[in-house]
Amino acid sequence: MARTVHLSPASGLATILLHVARTHPLARRSQVDLAALAKEHFIASPPPYQLRQRLDSWCARAGFTPHVAFEISGFETIRVLVGHGLGIAPLPAAETPHPDLVAITLSGWVTGPSGSSRAATDRPPR
């Protein structure tokens, strides 16, 4: 059964959605399966960040290694690059809508035993 990552904002967690440029072919879809993204270019946080570790794990479980075109630590910078069509990115929803982005529900995500990710508080380990 397909699972989507839905996390509680009250607990410091956020819903993870796939962000694409309005001009991207996936922008017309309301949902996409993770396995369908195997040939896409991702814009992601660096490997020490929890959201990147989750992305790598989820993609591995879906049968592929994500092609990460850019590694950026700031979510807003990632959104700008995605808006320019330079890649796609799984991110928590922005506090204010970004005019150049479309957020799409992901299915097929394989999460940890708790079914959660700490995307909203994503920080590298100390």
Side-chain angles (χ1 to χ4, degrees):
M1 173 179 251
R3 291 179 61 186
T4 301
V5 181
H6 291 287
L7 307 170
S8 167
S11 65
L13 304 176
T15 300
I16 303 299
L17 300 167
L18 180 68
H19 290 73
V20 301
R22 289 203 179 277
T23 58
H24 192 284
L26 293 173
R28 294 183 183 102
R29 299 185 57 185
S30 61
Q31 183 173 328
V32 65
D33 190 85
L34 179 63
L37 305 177
K39 296 189 186 285
E40 295 288 341
H41 291 175
F42 286 82
I43 302 172
S45 302
Y49 284 70
Q50 188 176 27
L51 184 56
R52 172 60 181 278
Q53 292 170 7
R54 297 283 184 171
L55 172 65
D56 291 345
S57 174
W58 294 328
C59 291
R61 291 178 186 170
F64 71 97
T65 300
H67 173 78
V68 178
F70 297 94
E71 289 182 345
I72 308 290
S73 59
F75 288 165
E76 288 309 311
T77 304
I78 292 173
R79 286 184 182 96
V80 168
L81 294 178
V82 170
H84 284 289
L86 299 176
I88 63 173
L91 294 169
E95 290 183 21
T96 58
H98 192 293
D100 298 324
L101 298 181
V102 173
I104 304 167
T105 300
L106 282 161
S107 62
W109 288 72
V110 181
T111 61
S114 67
S116 64
S117 301
R118 292 196 153 273
T121 57
D122 193 29
R123 298 285 180 261
R126 294 178 194 230

